[in-house]
Amino acid sequence: MATRFSWGADCLDRPAGPDIDIPPWIARAAPRRRAEYIAGRCCAGEALRRLTGKTTFPGQAEDRAPVWPRGTIGSISHSGDVAIAVAGSSARYCGLGVDIEKPLTEAEAREIAPQALTERELQRLRTPADAFLIGLTFSAKESLFKALYPTVRRYFGFHASQLVTWNPAGTGLLSLTRDLSPEWRRGQEIPLHFCCLENFVATRVSIEWADRQVDRASRYELY
């Protein structure tokens, strides 16, 4: 689910809903940050309603990761005035990650590239400021982190994976460049799905329990 939102006073003065828990640090945050949080939880609530038939909203853990209702798993992202969320059954998925990013300028792409891309990825760029590919790679790695964090329970940076391939149909493949856990080893390949929402790039990584130790892309379901 995705939505546009506003951070104007008229929007924020409206009740967020009795079931959306607003953490103290969000309540004290700037209007834009509060709006991002509420919009993301609203998207998650609608995704959960379509999944389970019940309107519920994720809470927030001490590490600020979403806490999904029992039996579900999901991910939330926002960029600019757009929020997006996905939800699935935790009996089927051990990891779901979603990310959305606004278009990069060439200057932003040049600045981000050394931080987000490995040396191999940098060498494959058509130009040093390939804004679309740099933005796609950045977003894909954000989705991968969100999908794997509940399993590996550790933070890892952008250089822990690399984009191996992608195609205009909206699919691609990430490969781990280092060991993250006994289940997730260097060289394992993880599929991703992406699309363009207006000018934004949205990516998603879906990892099923049945496939968590398999490194072949064909075993993953992409949709």
Side-chain angles (χ1 to χ4, degrees):
M1 296 302 304
T3 188
R4 287 193 175 274
F5 63 91
S6 167
W7 49 89
D10 59 332
C11 174
L12 293 175
D13 287 342
R14 301 171 190 166
D19 297 322
I20 299 181
D21 181 29
I22 308 295
W25 73 273
I26 287 292
R28 297 190 298 266
R32 179 168 184 160
R33 183 67 191 95
R34 297 203 307 273
E36 291 172 342
Y37 184 92
I38 293 170
R41 259 48 185 190
C42 287
C43 286
E46 177 60 16
L48 287 167
R49 186 190 68 79
R50 295 191 179 202
L51 176 70
T52 67
K54 299 179 181 179
T55 301
T56 54
F57 302 93
Q60 190 173 66
E62 292 185 2
D63 61 3
R64 299 191 178 181
V67 177
W68 296 84
R70 184 181 297 275
T72 67
I73 189 173
S75 182
I76 301 171
S77 182
H78 44 73
S79 180
D81 63 349
V82 175
I84 190 170
V86 295
S89 168
S90 59
R92 178 177 180 180
Y93 296 102
C94 62
L96 283 177
V98 69
D99 184 70
I100 189 167
E101 299 292 338
K102 66 180 180 63
L104 296 177
T105 65
E106 288 192 0
E108 290 171 332
R110 286 192 182 95
E111 181 179 356
I112 290 174
Q115 305 170 37
L117 276 63
T118 64
E119 286 297 324
R120 180 181 176 186
E121 289 171 323
L122 290 171
Q123 292 170 4
R124 293 205 311 265
L125 290 177
R126 292 188 294 269
T127 69
D130 188 339
F132 175 78
L133 186 54
I134 293 170
L136 173 63
T137 305
F138 178 92
S139 181
K141 293 183 180 185
E142 287 281 355
S143 287
L144 178 67
F145 174 81
K146 293 177 182 180
L148 291 185
Y149 180 75
T151 300
V152 303
R153 304 306 300 179
R154 53 171 289 195
Y155 288 95
F156 55 90
F158 290 108
H159 290 181
S161 65
Q162 57 190 4
L163 184 64
V164 177
T165 185
W166 68 278
N167 65 72
T171 60
L173 195 64
L174 290 160
S175 176
L176 296 182
T177 60
R178 63 192 63 173
D179 294 346
L180 299 179
S181 72
E183 295 87 3
W184 296 103
R185 300 285 191 175
R186 177 179 179 179
Q188 283 185 269
E189 296 176 342
I190 304 166
L192 69 105
H193 179 80
F194 71 91
C195 66
C196 292
L197 297 176
E198 297 182 1
N199 290 328
F200 291 80
V201 173
T203 60
R204 186 176 71 171
V205 172
S206 306
I207 304 173
E208 297 193 27
W209 284 105
D211 295 330
R212 62 183 295 181
Q213 295 183 351
V214 178
D215 60 1
R216 299 304 301 171
S218 60
R219 287 291 305 279
Y220 290 85
E221 179 175 356
L222 297 172
Y223 64 95

